[in-house]
Amino acid sequence: MYCGICHTDLHHVKDDWGITMYPIVPGHEITGVITKVGSNVKNFKLGDRVGVGCLAASCLECEFCKNSQENYCDQIQFTYNGIFWDGTITYGGYSEMLVADHRYVVHVPDNLPMDAAAPLLCAGITVFSPMKDCQLLESPGKKVGIVGLGGLGHVAVKMAKAFGHQVTVISTSPSKENEAKQRLGADYFLVSTDAKQMQVGNSLICFFEE
Ligand SMILES: [Zn+2]
Ligand SMILES: [Zn+2]
């Protein structure tokens, strides 16, 4: 099993939000290989490469659950520090094995290394989702702006480039320009504290109205 480290893990470990149920096993960017399946599970088999993200369970009946927006369900339970169907506390991916409901498990394609795939289950989906909502997956050639080049930002740059867009990274750190352009393939880099650069940025980014 592989598991990414999300900043949320650190908040939970330190009980920053006052909701941690100790003992806690963090980790919600998980990939692994299936070693056992329940008798009613049809979409997965032994040996399948799979991923598990932030969600362990939800009500499955509300408007959100029925529209693939389980993350908005008010009975949502998370991969760790949540309450599973059987009433037990959920434990996350910093572990040698994990029990998950098949409805919250995804297949990992063969051409995607398991270690690189793990962070896509939280950091990746977080930046993928707005791109999908803005129809950026099927309409290349847009001008995409990405604010911040951290754990999420660098994934966003790679995805936006892969979907064929012109990418501008906006950062407070001038030292990240090389990484943005050379390593990740961004087209432009703006330092957000530089008013002049930001003015130029207006022409580098498309704005959407919701
Ligand atoms: Zn996360
Ligand atoms: Zn629901």
Side-chain angles (χ1 to χ4, degrees):
M1 249 171 65
Y2 294 87
C3 189
I5 299 175
C6 174
H7 204 94
T8 304
D9 297 330
L10 305 181
H11 285 305
H12 275 293
V13 166
K14 293 189 262 178
D15 196 18
D16 285 342
W17 299 325
I19 54 168
T20 300
M21 297 180 275
Y22 293 109
I24 187 168
V25 178
H28 59 213
E29 297 178 336
I30 307 159
T31 55
V33 175
I34 294 203
T35 54
K36 238 180 201 179
V37 287
S39 52
N40 291 325
V41 174
K42 303 274 181 277
N43 45 342
F44 296 99
K45 59 180 187 319
L46 294 192
D48 279 0
R49 293 152 44 91
V50 294
V52 173
C54 304
L55 312 189
S58 60
C59 84
L60 297 172
E61 286 169 358
C62 71
E63 169 199 351
F64 297 118
C65 284
K66 285 183 176 158
N67 288 296
S68 298
Q69 294 189 310
E70 297 90 344
N71 48 316
Y72 292 120
C73 175
D74 62 7
Q75 291 179 50
I76 194 167
Q77 297 299 332
F78 293 106
T79 302
Y80 63 86
N81 204 50
I83 307 292
F84 205 48
W85 303 110
D86 60 3
T88 58
I89 293 174
T90 54
Y91 297 115
Y94 298 179
S95 168
E96 287 177 358
M97 60 157 268
L98 184 95
V99 177
D101 185 303
H102 67 101
R103 288 166 289 201
Y104 304 88
V105 179
V106 294
H107 287 280
V108 173
D110 284 340
N111 60 356
L112 202 54
M114 297 286 260
D115 53 349
L120 299 179
L121 275 308
C122 178
I125 189 72
T126 303
V127 295
F128 176 83
S129 181
M131 289 190 205
K132 188 168 182 235
D133 287 346
C134 292
Q135 284 88 47
L136 292 179
L137 277 54
E138 57 282 302
S139 58
K142 295 279 191 306
K143 298 170 177 176
V144 176
I146 291 162
V147 181
L149 195 68
L152 272 64
H154 88 280
V155 180
V157 173
K158 293 186 82 168
M159 283 189 185
K161 286 309 293 180
F163 294 135
H165 302 294
Q166 173 190 297
V167 174
T168 300
V169 171
I170 303 159
S171 171
T172 53
S173 316
S175 61
K176 290 195 175 174
E177 179 161 2
N178 245 358
E179 184 188 359
K181 289 182 172 172
Q182 256 78 51
R183 281 196 60 199
L184 301 170
D187 301 285
Y188 299 97
F189 184 89
L190 303 175
V191 177
S192 58
T193 49
D194 184 328
K196 226 173 168 184
Q197 281 193 24
M198 290 303 284
Q199 206 60 41
V200 177
N202 272 334
S203 62
L204 294 176
I205 298 166
C206 299
F207 292 92
F208 292 87
E209 280 178 36
E210 282 288 311

